[in-house]
Amino acid sequence: MKTICSHVILLIAANLSFVAGYLNIYLTISEVQRLLGVSAELYYIRNGNINNQALNFIVQIPSNINALYFTWEGLTDQPLPYAITVHTSNPEVLPPPKLNISYVGTVPKTTQTFLVSLPCSGLTEAEVDIKITINITLTNKNVTKLTFNRKKMCLLLDKSVSLIAQDSLLQLPNSASIFYIAMCCALLLMVMLILLVTLYYVKDKKCRSSGNTQPTTAATTFLAALPRNSVNASSYGSFIRMPSYSLIDERSKDLQDRIADLTVQRCRIRLSSIFLEGTFGRVYYGSYTNEDGAEETVIIKTVTDHASQVQIALLLQEGMTMYSLNHKNILSILRVSIQDHSAPFLLYPYKNTTNLKMFLQKCKVSSEGVHHTLTTQEVVEMALQIIQAMQYLHKKHLLHKDLAARNCMVDNELHVQVADNALSRDLFPSDYHCLGDNENRPVKWLAIESLLHKTFSPASDVWSFGVLVWELTTLAQQPYIEIDPFEMAAYLKDGYRLAQPINCPDELFAVMAYCWAMSAEERPTFTQLHVCLQEFYAQLTRYV
């Protein structure tokens, strides 16, 4: 993202003279945000001054974007004739683009936005070069040629996808229709707000009246689902009857029942000290008094008071993915505490463990200030434990989807447990990136098919395991640190992978490389990885 920001700053800064005051052509803040993820306007011509560096900059268009928007206006009373041509390097992959304006005409004298549609054919997958040329004829009959270069990655698409949406892109509403649409939306919103306030008042009045005769139950105001199923719950009783979360296994319909089974009173939980802290998430050391009256030491995941309902819902959803799992190498959730007007507590058993990523980073410098590296035997032993956990998960028909050192725990004896990814995006923000699709993902740990198509399988977990072993051998260095997240897909498709770490045996690096095979079918299973690493571990122990 920093690379893109620096590009935009350079592009906006460099200008050459055109003809003063004749024309403005630029990308609005919303369009730059949509394409590059940066909040800034990008001017190609400002008050007649041409920004050549901006014109020479090749913009990468995400595969899910099917239209480009340019804003322009003429700054002179004289008409400015224009002629637009659009060419693509592969018409079979990306058919000739269409405009919502005429290809020949005059530049409007008021600020207007025109559209260039770029729908892929979906017949094959390839990267396409796009060249948009605009010829502007000045009053003195001089013709200025402006060329905008773009690249787009087209993917294979389901032919059942309707083309109506693509055609609709060609119709931009005029200012009058925008005004009436906005007025209708505002009126509709006001009506909905009035109805919601009325319903809330009636329901609150009923709750108050019933509260005089019956004791109230524990209440919560958490969302019972993510934004696509945004439903607000006013009590714990209604919360457990809400539609279930979208989890990775067929048992997702039982999520509310799971929470009910694990719920304990808040008075039985005591917070001790903060273990990890992010923008809105916190992990505490604490204790929990169980049913027998014995006190257990636990790790507690929760959020701050300013966390949104969506963040709270995501904490519960991701925290319950390891529900009811019983394996020595898996950290399963122990209890949940939900209390009215306060953040939920997720409790996990604690046995002198710490986060694996933080543990590896501390290994870099020992108490004597000397660089310390785990032995190959220790690395392989830890990898074998993670494999056993993943074998158990896959036998339960569960996918992890975010296997990494940050989502594992380790104790002083190097006993490793695979954990869920609840709060990981907040606690380890540098490990996650948004590629313009409003979804924060562990881009540099994802398999190529997960990155391109958001498809996950046991083979995609194997890919992430390879990156995790690389983390073990490098003491939690950032993978692909020199590669921009937006360039990761192209980088992997070109066949590039992580380099062999220093002092990493060829046998161990070969295992990593097998995990990063381009085709999911060519990657080993966790069972095959276990056999391979077990043999390598046996060889290592013979020399110790």
Side-chain angles (χ1 to χ4, degrees):
M1 185 63 69
K2 292 181 180 178
T3 303
I4 294 177
C5 291
S6 61
H7 275 305
V8 173
I9 293 172
L10 287 173
L11 298 179
I12 296 175
N15 290 315
L16 294 177
S17 179
F18 176 52
V19 174
Y22 271 83
L23 180 66
N24 281 340
I25 297 181
Y26 60 95
L27 304 184
T28 62
I29 294 178
S30 60
E31 179 67 359
V32 175
Q33 180 71 42
R34 191 173 70 104
L35 293 175
L36 303 177
V38 179
S39 296
E41 285 184 331
L42 177 56
Y43 268 87
Y44 294 103
I45 300 179
R46 186 200 294 267
N47 296 327
N49 292 323
I50 297 179
N51 184 345
N52 278 349
Q53 291 196 28
L55 290 171
N56 293 331
F57 177 62
I58 301 176
V59 178
Q60 296 285 344
I61 304 172
S63 60
N64 61 327
I65 292 182
N66 292 324
L68 300 177
Y69 297 90
F70 293 85
T71 302
W72 64 350
E73 62 176 329
L75 303 178
T76 175
D77 293 334
Q78 301 297 326
L80 289 178
Y82 72 83
I84 301 179
T85 58
V86 186
H87 296 285
T88 63
S89 61
N90 195 333
E92 293 183 1
V93 178
L94 199 156
K98 298 180 181 179
L99 305 177
N100 70 323
I101 60 174
S102 61
Y103 288 88
V104 178
T106 57
V107 178
K109 296 180 181 179
T110 58
T111 302
Q112 293 186 16
T113 299
F114 69 89
L115 172 151
V116 181
S117 69
L118 302 170
C120 298
S121 65
L123 300 177
T124 185
E125 181 175 306
E127 187 176 60
V128 182
D129 294 324
I130 305 160
K131 180 177 290 187
I132 304 169
T133 304
I134 303 179
N135 292 322
I136 305 292
T137 304
L138 306 178
T139 54
N140 58 2
K141 304 304 179 182
N142 290 331
V143 177
T144 298
K145 182 178 180 181
L146 307 172
T147 302
F148 307 87
N149 295 305
R150 302 289 187 266
K151 281 183 180 291
K152 181 176 180 181
M153 174 58 67
C154 287
L155 306 176
L156 285 171
L157 299 177
D158 186 351
K159 292 186 178 180
S160 62
V161 176
S162 172
L163 296 178
I164 296 176
Q166 298 176 2
D167 294 336
S168 64
L169 288 173
L170 302 179
Q171 302 298 325
L172 281 179
N174 55 34
S175 58
S177 63
I178 292 175
F179 172 77
Y180 289 118
I181 291 172
M183 288 295 295
C184 292
C185 291
L187 290 173
L188 182 61
L189 182 60
M190 290 177 63
V191 172
M192 291 178 65
L193 286 174
I194 293 172
L195 288 175
L196 287 173
V197 171
T198 305
L199 289 173
Y200 177 80
Y201 175 78
V202 172
K203 186 173 182 180
D204 184 65
K205 189 174 181 180
K206 288 182 179 179
C207 290
R208 290 178 183 273
S209 61
S210 62
N212 295 329
T213 58
Q214 298 178 356
T216 58
T217 59
T220 185
T221 56
F222 305 138
L223 286 178
L226 291 177
R228 57 178 180 275
N229 297 318
S230 56
V231 183
N232 197 13
S234 60
S235 69
Y236 179 72
S238 61
F239 176 82
I240 63 174
R241 293 193 296 271
M242 286 293 176
S244 61
Y245 290 90
S246 174
L247 294 179
I248 57 179
D249 67 299
E250 69 277 4
R251 301 178 301 168
S252 61
K253 60 183 181 297
D254 300 323
L255 177 61
Q256 285 75 35
D257 294 333
R258 300 180 193 183
I259 294 177
D261 291 340
L262 298 179
T263 297
V264 295
Q265 295 174 326
R266 185 63 56 89
C267 60
R268 295 165 63 181
I269 302 171
R270 183 170 59 88
L271 301 177
S272 297
S273 59
I274 294 179
F275 169 41
L276 286 170
E277 185 173 16
T279 304
F280 64 86
R282 285 178 182 169
V283 182
Y284 289 87
Y285 291 120
S287 60
Y288 152 68
T289 304
N290 60 28
E291 292 78 2
D292 300 328
E295 192 172 70
E296 300 179 28
T297 305
V298 293
I299 293 174
I300 303 167
K301 289 185 179 182
T302 186
V303 291
T304 58
D305 294 336
H306 64 269
S308 69
Q309 297 285 1
V310 173
Q311 290 163 343
I312 294 173
L314 193 61
L315 168 66
L316 289 170
Q317 179 190 15
E318 294 178 338
M320 296 302 295
T321 56
M322 300 292 190
Y323 169 81
S324 75
L325 299 182
N326 185 17
H327 191 277
K328 63 179 181 179
N329 296 117
I330 289 181
L331 184 67
S332 184
I333 189 168
L334 180 65
R335 290 293 181 182
V336 176
S337 177
I338 297 178
Q339 185 170 301
D340 188 24
H341 304 304
S342 62
F345 284 0
L346 275 58
L347 279 62
Y348 300 83
Y350 171 71
K351 296 180 181 179
N352 295 320
T353 54
T354 188
N355 182 271
L356 178 57
K357 185 181 181 77
M358 297 175 62
F359 169 80
L360 294 172
Q361 291 172 339
K362 289 180 180 178
C363 282
K364 293 180 180 179
V365 179
S366 67
S367 57
E368 294 80 16
V370 180
H371 183 84
H372 170 70
T373 304
L374 294 171
T375 66
T376 301
Q377 184 176 343
E378 290 172 331
V379 169
V380 175
E381 185 177 7
M382 296 168 75
L384 283 169
Q385 295 180 63
I386 296 169
I387 288 176
Q388 291 171 5
M390 295 307 298
Q391 285 178 303
Y392 178 82
L393 277 179
H394 289 176
K395 285 180 181 178
K396 294 290 185 179
H397 305 289
L398 296 172
L399 301 177
H400 195 287
K401 296 187 179 182
D402 195 1
L403 184 60
R406 62 184 169 272
N407 293 322
C408 294
M409 303 293 287
V410 63
D411 63 16
N412 294 331
E413 297 180 355
L414 300 185
H415 176 244
V416 181
Q417 289 182 302
V418 175
D420 58 55
N421 65 335
L423 297 182
S424 290
R425 294 177 184 83
D426 182 52
L427 300 175
F428 300 95
S430 60
D431 290 356
Y432 294 85
H433 300 90
C434 182
L435 302 183
D437 54 3
N438 216 14
E439 183 179 348
N440 226 6
R441 295 184 288 161
V443 171
K444 297 185 178 182
W445 279 260
L446 290 179
I448 182 68
E449 69 273 10
S450 304
L451 190 56
L452 290 174
H453 311 299
K454 298 183 181 180
T455 58
F456 294 87
S457 66
S460 62
D461 276 348
V462 167
W463 180 298
S464 300
F465 170 77
V467 182
L468 173 50
V469 177
W470 187 88
E471 288 185 278
L472 293 175
T473 57
T474 61
L475 300 179
Q477 289 185 19
Q478 285 294 107
Y480 306 102
I481 192 170
E482 74 284 0
I483 306 301
D484 188 277
F486 285 87
E487 299 173 357
M488 273 300 300
Y491 186 80
L492 296 176
K493 288 186 69 175
D494 288 341
Y496 294 103
R497 297 293 185 269
L498 289 166
Q500 183 171 354
I502 299 174
N503 298 327
C504 174
D506 293 340
E507 294 88 346
L508 186 56
F509 184 68
V511 171
M512 302 183 210
Y514 292 147
C515 295
W516 302 325
M518 186 71 73
S519 172
E521 291 76 14
E522 296 177 0
R523 294 172 209 153
T525 64
F526 276 108
T527 301
Q528 293 170 329
L529 287 171
H530 187 270
V531 172
C532 181
L533 284 182
Q534 190 68 53
E535 292 178 356
F536 183 47
Y537 182 77
Q539 294 175 9
L540 292 172
T541 54
R542 292 193 191 107
Y543 302 101
V544 177

